[in-house]
């Protein structure tokens, strides 16, 4: 059986396709590198990271807001090469989004990918449709004007296959009273099938289908949702939406989609693992796709594709990628914020990671943070650190991270002698080395606990379970048990939030950017949660 989510922890907006006997998946990366992670498998169950679209963002992501950056990449294949199209969003929460849409190609999904080319940028969530030798760009139309519907419908524009220049004018395919975005297109049994993400990205999310006998419409909207959990507050796989249809070599159909696994807490339901990738089997009735299990709710366990005897060969071998042996940096599943890992500030030396402190932990520029996704509801992350800060402007430790305004930090830093006020005159006295637990929310930063740091190396750890997290210093808890709710999309505040909780390492040196610290004995253990059918 296939167990959903098939890619767990912060893997939203899945674009899943089949090429020969293999399946490929691209997901949103937002402000994180590697940009646009790509996975591959042969059975829809066992997915493996194979690379990313390096250099996807001309000019980089420095300064992009939290949950900005790369939104909803769409993979496709024209029989010869892979294509990917995506938007880089540089403003979140305003009318304009300030986005650019880019297109890149590759002979193999693991790369190398061509230099991105900017194409017409009507809105976010673009995709490509290859049909009858033509190349079409599908997109949401964003209407920024005051009083207008920001989600002004779905448009289709032909692109020249070589120059990628527009051919003619855009065609408005469909508009809807409910928010629709994320268009994808397949041609099935004489119908152009338009797949739409409906109802936003939260609890009201869903997948709606429209169809037409003609590419340019008119399109008839299905009276029923293909997939949603908006009517099921108890759903194990909640927020289900943003789907893409694809077939197997044997002619079966599946739907990839995102979903989230909520945890009940005193303040409500929260999905700190972010939005994850799932698959559901599909059958066709009267020209419409329907979930094979009936209804419109996703299930956790689904049947894998049937395989005809001898029909499926081995997975296509990977193309080896060059590795710079002189500058080893942390690689997947490690991720970095707003810039790729670079040996000038982060290095992997044996089983240790060494960081050079740079800007503060809330910075959207030169933030020395490396992290991995939380993929299960219980686990433990730990590292041993020997750090001798000389000033309150230096700190290093472990973090439970959502974004620059939502995180917990357990760090070794400098403080005045006990009983002395914070006067910013650290060079006048000896001070002391302390370990500090800090909370950052949209209301500001707060020190939750602080104690003198033990001499020598210090073991810092965090352990989480069922929506709660605690921090430890050399095996002893420091500070209170905390809620993971602030590290989710579901915090009741105005800003859009699209990523997921991470466990990571951080270092800052605000004055000199020259302080190196070493983390050893790194451990990240996550306990797989085998949930039943929803």
């Amino acid at each position: 059986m296939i167990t959903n989510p098939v890619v767990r922890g912060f893997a939203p907006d899945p674009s899943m396709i089949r090429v020969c006997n293999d399946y490929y998946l691209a997901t949103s990366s937002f402000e994180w590198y590697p940009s646009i992670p790509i996975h591959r498998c042969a059975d829809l169950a066992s997915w493996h990271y194979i690379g990313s679209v390096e250099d996807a963002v001309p000019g980089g992501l420095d300064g992009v807001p939290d949950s900005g950056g790369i939104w909803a990449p769409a993979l496709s294949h024209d029989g010869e090469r892979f294509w990917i199209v995506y938007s880089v969003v540089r403003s979140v929460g305003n009318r304009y989004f300030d986005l650019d849409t880019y297109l890149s190609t590759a002979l193999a999904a693991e790369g190398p990918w061509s230099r991105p080319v900017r194409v017409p940028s009507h809105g976010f969530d673009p995709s490509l449709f290859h049909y009858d030798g033509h190349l079409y760009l599908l997109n949401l139309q964003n209407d920024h004007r005051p009083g207008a519907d920001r989600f002004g419908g779905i448009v289709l524009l032909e692109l020249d296959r070589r120059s990628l220049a527009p051919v003619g004018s855009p065609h408005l395919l469909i508009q809807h009273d409910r928010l629709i975005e994320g268009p994808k297109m397949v041609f099935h049994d004489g119908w152009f099938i338009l797949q739409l993400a409906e109802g936003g990205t939260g609890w009201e999310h869903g997948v709606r289908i429209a169809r037409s006998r003609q590419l340019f419409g008119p399109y008839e909207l299905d009276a029923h949702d293909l997939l949603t959990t908006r009517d099921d507050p108890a759903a194990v796989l909640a927020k289900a939406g943003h789907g893409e249809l694809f077939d197997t070599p044997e002619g079966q159909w599946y739907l990839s989609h995102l979903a989230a696994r909520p945890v009940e807490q005193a303040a409500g339901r929260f999905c700190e693992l972010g939005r994850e990738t799932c698959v559901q089997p599909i059958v066709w009735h009267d020209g419409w796709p329907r979930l094979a299990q009936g209804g419109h709710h996703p299930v956790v366990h689904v049947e894998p594709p049937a395989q005809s005897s001898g029909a499926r060969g081995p997975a296509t071998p990977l193309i080896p990628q060059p590795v710079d042996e002189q500058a080893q940096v942390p690689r997947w599943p490690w991720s970095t914020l707003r810039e790729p890992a670079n040996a000038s500030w982060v290095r992997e030396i044996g089983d240790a990671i060494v960081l050079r402190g740079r800007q503060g932990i809330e910075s959207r520029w030169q933030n020395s943070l490396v992290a991995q996704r939380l993929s299960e509801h219980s686990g433990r992350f730990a590292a041993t650190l020997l750090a001798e800060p000389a000033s309150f402007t230096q700190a290093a430790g472990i973090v439970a991270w959502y974004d620059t305004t939502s995180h917990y930090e357990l760090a070794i830093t400098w403080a005045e002698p006990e009983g002395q006020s914070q006067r910013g005159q650290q060079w006048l006295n000896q001070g002391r080395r302390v370990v500090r637990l800090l909370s950052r929310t949209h209301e500001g930063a707060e020190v939750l606990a602080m104690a003198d740091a033990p001499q020598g190396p210090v073991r810092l750890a965090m352990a989480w379970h069922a929506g709660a997290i605690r921090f430890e210093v050399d095996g002893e808890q420091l500070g209170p048990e905390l809620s993971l709710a602030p590290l989710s999309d579901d915090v009741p505040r105005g800003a859009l939030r699209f990523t997921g909780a991470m466990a990571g390492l951080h270092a800052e040196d605000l004055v000199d950017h020259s302080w190196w610290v070493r983390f050893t004995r790194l451990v990240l253990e996550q306990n797989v949660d085998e949930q039943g059918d929803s």
Side-chain angles (χ1 to χ4, degrees), residues 2 22 43 73 89 98 104 125 138 147 171 184 186 210 257 299 324 347 383 394 410 434 458:
I2 297 171
D22 297 328
D43 58 5
V89 177
D98 297 321
S104 182
D125 291 8
L138 283 151
H171 299 264
K184 304 287 195 308
V186 296
H257 68 94
V299 292
D324 184 354
R347 300 171 187 171
Q394 296 175 335
L410 181 65
V434 297
V458 181

PDB file of all heavy atoms in Angstrom, residues 2 22 43 73 89 98 104 125 138 147 171 184 186 210 257 299 324 347 383 394 410 434 458:
ATOM      1  N   ILE A   2       0.329   2.315  -0.568  1.00  0.00           N
ATOM      2  CA  ILE A   2       0.959   3.622  -0.507  1.00  0.00           C
ATOM      3  C   ILE A   2       0.417   4.335   0.726  1.00  0.00           C
ATOM      4  O   ILE A   2      -0.792   4.364   0.943  1.00  0.00           O
ATOM      5  CB  ILE A   2       0.643   4.443  -1.774  1.00  0.00           C
ATOM      6  CG1 ILE A   2       1.221   3.753  -3.009  1.00  0.00           C
ATOM      7  CG2 ILE A   2       1.175   5.860  -1.644  1.00  0.00           C
ATOM      8  CD1 ILE A   2       0.767   4.381  -4.313  1.00  0.00           C
ATOM      9  N   ASP A  22       9.093   6.172 -14.927  1.00  0.00           N
ATOM     10  CA  ASP A  22       9.414   6.865 -13.685  1.00  0.00           C
ATOM     11  C   ASP A  22       8.467   8.033 -13.433  1.00  0.00           C
ATOM     12  O   ASP A  22       7.940   8.639 -14.372  1.00  0.00           O
ATOM     13  CB  ASP A  22      10.854   7.396 -13.721  1.00  0.00           C
ATOM     14  CG  ASP A  22      11.883   6.282 -13.834  1.00  0.00           C
ATOM     15  OD1 ASP A  22      11.622   5.190 -13.304  1.00  0.00           O
ATOM     16  OD2 ASP A  22      12.939   6.506 -14.455  1.00  0.00           O
ATOM     17  N   ASP A  43       7.309   3.758  -8.074  1.00  0.00           N
ATOM     18  CA  ASP A  43       6.128   3.059  -7.568  1.00  0.00           C
ATOM     19  C   ASP A  43       5.129   3.977  -6.864  1.00  0.00           C
ATOM     20  O   ASP A  43       4.164   3.500  -6.263  1.00  0.00           O
ATOM     21  CB  ASP A  43       6.557   1.953  -6.603  1.00  0.00           C
ATOM     22  CG  ASP A  43       7.367   2.483  -5.415  1.00  0.00           C
ATOM     23  OD1 ASP A  43       7.520   3.726  -5.291  1.00  0.00           O
ATOM     24  OD2 ASP A  43       7.838   1.654  -4.620  1.00  0.00           O
ATOM     25  N   PRO A  73       6.116  25.504  -8.486  1.00  0.00           N
ATOM     26  CA  PRO A  73       6.711  25.116  -9.767  1.00  0.00           C
ATOM     27  C   PRO A  73       5.878  24.041 -10.438  1.00  0.00           C
ATOM     28  O   PRO A  73       5.227  23.230  -9.764  1.00  0.00           O
ATOM     29  CB  PRO A  73       8.083  24.584  -9.364  1.00  0.00           C
ATOM     30  CG  PRO A  73       7.892  24.087  -7.969  1.00  0.00           C
ATOM     31  CD  PRO A  73       6.902  25.026  -7.335  1.00  0.00           C
ATOM     32  N   VAL A  89       8.066  35.280  -6.112  1.00  0.00           N
ATOM     33  CA  VAL A  89       7.223  36.298  -5.499  1.00  0.00           C
ATOM     34  C   VAL A  89       8.070  37.107  -4.528  1.00  0.00           C
ATOM     35  O   VAL A  89       8.654  36.560  -3.588  1.00  0.00           O
ATOM     36  CB  VAL A  89       6.025  35.652  -4.777  1.00  0.00           C
ATOM     37  CG1 VAL A  89       5.186  36.708  -4.063  1.00  0.00           C
ATOM     38  CG2 VAL A  89       5.178  34.868  -5.767  1.00  0.00           C
ATOM     39  N   ASP A  98       4.608  41.554  -6.928  1.00  0.00           N
ATOM     40  CA  ASP A  98       5.924  41.881  -7.494  1.00  0.00           C
ATOM     41  C   ASP A  98       6.646  40.613  -7.944  1.00  0.00           C
ATOM     42  O   ASP A  98       7.773  40.312  -7.522  1.00  0.00           O
ATOM     43  CB  ASP A  98       6.772  42.640  -6.470  1.00  0.00           C
ATOM     44  CG  ASP A  98       6.142  43.976  -6.098  1.00  0.00           C
ATOM     45  OD1 ASP A  98       5.595  44.646  -6.995  1.00  0.00           O
ATOM     46  OD2 ASP A  98       6.188  44.343  -4.910  1.00  0.00           O
ATOM     47  N   SER A 104      12.547  27.086 -17.422  1.00  0.00           N
ATOM     48  CA  SER A 104      13.841  26.454 -17.614  1.00  0.00           C
ATOM     49  C   SER A 104      13.620  25.039 -18.134  1.00  0.00           C
ATOM     50  O   SER A 104      12.540  24.462 -17.950  1.00  0.00           O
ATOM     51  CB  SER A 104      14.622  26.420 -16.284  1.00  0.00           C
ATOM     52  OG  SER A 104      15.892  25.847 -16.439  1.00  0.00           O
ATOM     53  N   ASP A 125       1.600  30.613  -9.743  1.00  0.00           N
ATOM     54  CA  ASP A 125       1.117  29.260 -10.036  1.00  0.00           C
ATOM     55  C   ASP A 125       0.987  28.992 -11.539  1.00  0.00           C
ATOM     56  O   ASP A 125      -0.048  28.496 -12.007  1.00  0.00           O
ATOM     57  CB  ASP A 125      -0.231  28.996  -9.360  1.00  0.00           C
ATOM     58  CG  ASP A 125      -0.139  28.899  -7.860  1.00  0.00           C
ATOM     59  OD1 ASP A 125       0.936  29.189  -7.313  1.00  0.00           O
ATOM     60  OD2 ASP A 125      -1.138  28.543  -7.218  1.00  0.00           O
ATOM     61  N   LEU A 138      -0.202  28.434 -18.939  1.00  0.00           N
ATOM     62  CA  LEU A 138      -1.406  28.667 -18.142  1.00  0.00           C
ATOM     63  C   LEU A 138      -1.029  29.467 -16.910  1.00  0.00           C
ATOM     64  O   LEU A 138       0.042  29.273 -16.333  1.00  0.00           O
ATOM     65  CB  LEU A 138      -2.029  27.343 -17.703  1.00  0.00           C
ATOM     66  CG  LEU A 138      -2.814  26.555 -18.741  1.00  0.00           C
ATOM     67  CD1 LEU A 138      -2.750  25.073 -18.435  1.00  0.00           C
ATOM     68  CD2 LEU A 138      -4.252  27.029 -18.781  1.00  0.00           C
ATOM     69  N   GLY A 147     -10.567  47.374  -5.343  1.00  0.00           N
ATOM     70  CA  GLY A 147     -11.947  46.991  -5.606  1.00  0.00           C
ATOM     71  C   GLY A 147     -12.102  45.844  -6.570  1.00  0.00           C
ATOM     72  O   GLY A 147     -13.208  45.323  -6.753  1.00  0.00           O
ATOM     73  N   HIS A 171      -5.770  34.188 -23.702  1.00  0.00           N
ATOM     74  CA  HIS A 171      -7.181  33.795 -23.747  1.00  0.00           C
ATOM     75  C   HIS A 171      -7.667  33.599 -22.317  1.00  0.00           C
ATOM     76  O   HIS A 171      -7.045  32.859 -21.540  1.00  0.00           O
ATOM     77  CB  HIS A 171      -7.369  32.493 -24.530  1.00  0.00           C
ATOM     78  CG  HIS A 171      -6.939  32.565 -25.964  1.00  0.00           C
ATOM     79  ND1 HIS A 171      -7.819  32.820 -26.995  1.00  0.00           N
ATOM     80  CD2 HIS A 171      -5.705  32.441 -26.524  1.00  0.00           C
ATOM     81  CE1 HIS A 171      -7.150  32.824 -28.142  1.00  0.00           C
ATOM     82  NE2 HIS A 171      -5.873  32.596 -27.884  1.00  0.00           N
ATOM     83  N   LYS A 184      -3.716  23.467 -14.087  1.00  0.00           N
ATOM     84  CA  LYS A 184      -2.981  22.431 -14.819  1.00  0.00           C
ATOM     85  C   LYS A 184      -3.922  21.893 -15.907  1.00  0.00           C
ATOM     86  O   LYS A 184      -5.145  21.933 -15.745  1.00  0.00           O
ATOM     87  CB  LYS A 184      -2.569  21.279 -13.905  1.00  0.00           C
ATOM     88  CG  LYS A 184      -1.753  21.664 -12.675  1.00  0.00           C
ATOM     89  CD  LYS A 184      -0.349  22.044 -13.029  1.00  0.00           C
ATOM     90  CE  LYS A 184       0.563  22.075 -11.813  1.00  0.00           C
ATOM     91  NZ  LYS A 184       0.087  22.875 -10.685  1.00  0.00           N
ATOM     92  N   VAL A 186      -4.681  18.626 -18.804  1.00  0.00           N
ATOM     93  CA  VAL A 186      -4.426  17.365 -19.501  1.00  0.00           C
ATOM     94  C   VAL A 186      -5.505  17.198 -20.569  1.00  0.00           C
ATOM     95  O   VAL A 186      -6.594  17.789 -20.486  1.00  0.00           O
ATOM     96  CB  VAL A 186      -4.432  16.147 -18.557  1.00  0.00           C
ATOM     97  CG1 VAL A 186      -3.307  16.223 -17.550  1.00  0.00           C
ATOM     98  CG2 VAL A 186      -5.780  15.981 -17.863  1.00  0.00           C
ATOM     99  N   ALA A 210     -12.656  21.734 -14.438  1.00  0.00           N
ATOM    100  CA  ALA A 210     -13.453  22.282 -15.527  1.00  0.00           C
ATOM    101  C   ALA A 210     -13.020  21.584 -16.815  1.00  0.00           C
ATOM    102  O   ALA A 210     -11.894  21.081 -16.908  1.00  0.00           O
ATOM    103  CB  ALA A 210     -13.278  23.792 -15.642  1.00  0.00           C
ATOM    104  N   HIS A 257      -1.621  15.733  -4.800  1.00  0.00           N
ATOM    105  CA  HIS A 257      -2.235  16.889  -4.135  1.00  0.00           C
ATOM    106  C   HIS A 257      -1.483  17.160  -2.840  1.00  0.00           C
ATOM    107  O   HIS A 257      -0.713  16.332  -2.346  1.00  0.00           O
ATOM    108  CB  HIS A 257      -3.717  16.639  -3.855  1.00  0.00           C
ATOM    109  CG  HIS A 257      -3.984  15.574  -2.827  1.00  0.00           C
ATOM    110  ND1 HIS A 257      -4.168  15.846  -1.485  1.00  0.00           N
ATOM    111  CD2 HIS A 257      -4.094  14.216  -2.947  1.00  0.00           C
ATOM    112  CE1 HIS A 257      -4.403  14.720  -0.827  1.00  0.00           C
ATOM    113  NE2 HIS A 257      -4.356  13.711  -1.679  1.00  0.00           N
ATOM    114  N   VAL A 299      -7.660   9.718   1.369  1.00  0.00           N
ATOM    115  CA  VAL A 299      -7.412   8.670   2.358  1.00  0.00           C
ATOM    116  C   VAL A 299      -5.911   8.505   2.535  1.00  0.00           C
ATOM    117  O   VAL A 299      -5.113   8.862   1.675  1.00  0.00           O
ATOM    118  CB  VAL A 299      -8.054   7.326   1.957  1.00  0.00           C
ATOM    119  CG1 VAL A 299      -9.570   7.430   2.001  1.00  0.00           C
ATOM    120  CG2 VAL A 299      -7.581   6.882   0.580  1.00  0.00           C
ATOM    121  N   ASP A 324      32.313  19.621  -5.792  1.00  0.00           N
ATOM    122  CA  ASP A 324      33.514  20.370  -5.476  1.00  0.00           C
ATOM    123  C   ASP A 324      34.103  19.828  -4.180  1.00  0.00           C
ATOM    124  O   ASP A 324      33.622  20.145  -3.091  1.00  0.00           O
ATOM    125  CB  ASP A 324      33.201  21.862  -5.352  1.00  0.00           C
ATOM    126  CG  ASP A 324      34.452  22.705  -5.125  1.00  0.00           C
ATOM    127  OD1 ASP A 324      35.536  22.119  -4.957  1.00  0.00           O
ATOM    128  OD2 ASP A 324      34.331  23.939  -5.114  1.00  0.00           O
ATOM    129  N   ARG A 347      30.347  24.945   6.398  1.00  0.00           N
ATOM    130  CA  ARG A 347      31.157  23.839   5.896  1.00  0.00           C
ATOM    131  C   ARG A 347      30.782  22.562   6.626  1.00  0.00           C
ATOM    132  O   ARG A 347      30.428  22.584   7.805  1.00  0.00           O
ATOM    133  CB  ARG A 347      32.653  24.121   6.083  1.00  0.00           C
ATOM    134  CG  ARG A 347      33.141  25.362   5.352  1.00  0.00           C
ATOM    135  CD  ARG A 347      34.547  25.738   5.734  1.00  0.00           C
ATOM    136  NE  ARG A 347      34.928  27.021   5.130  1.00  0.00           N
ATOM    137  CZ  ARG A 347      36.038  27.678   5.421  1.00  0.00           C
ATOM    138  NH1 ARG A 347      36.888  27.184   6.315  1.00  0.00           N
ATOM    139  NH2 ARG A 347      36.305  28.833   4.826  1.00  0.00           N
ATOM    140  N   ALA A 383      22.615  18.588  19.130  1.00  0.00           N
ATOM    141  CA  ALA A 383      23.956  18.892  18.643  1.00  0.00           C
ATOM    142  C   ALA A 383      24.807  19.306  19.829  1.00  0.00           C
ATOM    143  O   ALA A 383      24.321  19.885  20.805  1.00  0.00           O
ATOM    144  CB  ALA A 383      23.924  20.002  17.597  1.00  0.00           C
ATOM    145  N   GLN A 394      27.346  38.010  19.707  1.00  0.00           N
ATOM    146  CA  GLN A 394      27.654  36.675  19.207  1.00  0.00           C
ATOM    147  C   GLN A 394      26.748  35.666  19.904  1.00  0.00           C
ATOM    148  O   GLN A 394      26.563  35.725  21.126  1.00  0.00           O
ATOM    149  CB  GLN A 394      29.123  36.320  19.469  1.00  0.00           C
ATOM    150  CG  GLN A 394      30.111  37.204  18.724  1.00  0.00           C
ATOM    151  CD  GLN A 394      31.555  36.911  19.093  1.00  0.00           C
ATOM    152  OE1 GLN A 394      31.837  36.408  20.184  1.00  0.00           O
ATOM    153  NE2 GLN A 394      32.483  37.234  18.198  1.00  0.00           N
ATOM    154  N   LEU A 410      17.610  28.094  21.187  1.00  0.00           N
ATOM    155  CA  LEU A 410      18.388  27.728  22.361  1.00  0.00           C
ATOM    156  C   LEU A 410      19.848  27.956  21.996  1.00  0.00           C
ATOM    157  O   LEU A 410      20.418  27.216  21.185  1.00  0.00           O
ATOM    158  CB  LEU A 410      18.146  26.273  22.747  1.00  0.00           C
ATOM    159  CG  LEU A 410      18.896  25.770  23.984  1.00  0.00           C
ATOM    160  CD1 LEU A 410      18.439  26.499  25.242  1.00  0.00           C
ATOM    161  CD2 LEU A 410      18.727  24.263  24.142  1.00  0.00           C
ATOM    162  N   VAL A 434      26.523  32.118  28.812  1.00  0.00           N
ATOM    163  CA  VAL A 434      25.214  31.636  29.239  1.00  0.00           C
ATOM    164  C   VAL A 434      24.561  30.855  28.106  1.00  0.00           C
ATOM    165  O   VAL A 434      24.928  30.973  26.936  1.00  0.00           O
ATOM    166  CB  VAL A 434      24.291  32.804  29.660  1.00  0.00           C
ATOM    167  CG1 VAL A 434      24.855  33.544  30.858  1.00  0.00           C
ATOM    168  CG2 VAL A 434      24.040  33.751  28.488  1.00  0.00           C
ATOM    169  N   VAL A 458      28.826  21.766  25.129  1.00  0.00           N
ATOM    170  CA  VAL A 458      27.471  21.745  25.690  1.00  0.00           C
ATOM    171  C   VAL A 458      26.558  21.008  24.716  1.00  0.00           C
ATOM    172  O   VAL A 458      26.567  21.294  23.500  1.00  0.00           O
ATOM    173  CB  VAL A 458      26.952  23.165  25.952  1.00  0.00           C
ATOM    174  CG1 VAL A 458      25.552  23.110  26.565  1.00  0.00           C
ATOM    175  CG2 VAL A 458      27.900  23.929  26.860  1.00  0.00           C
TER     176      VAL A 458
END
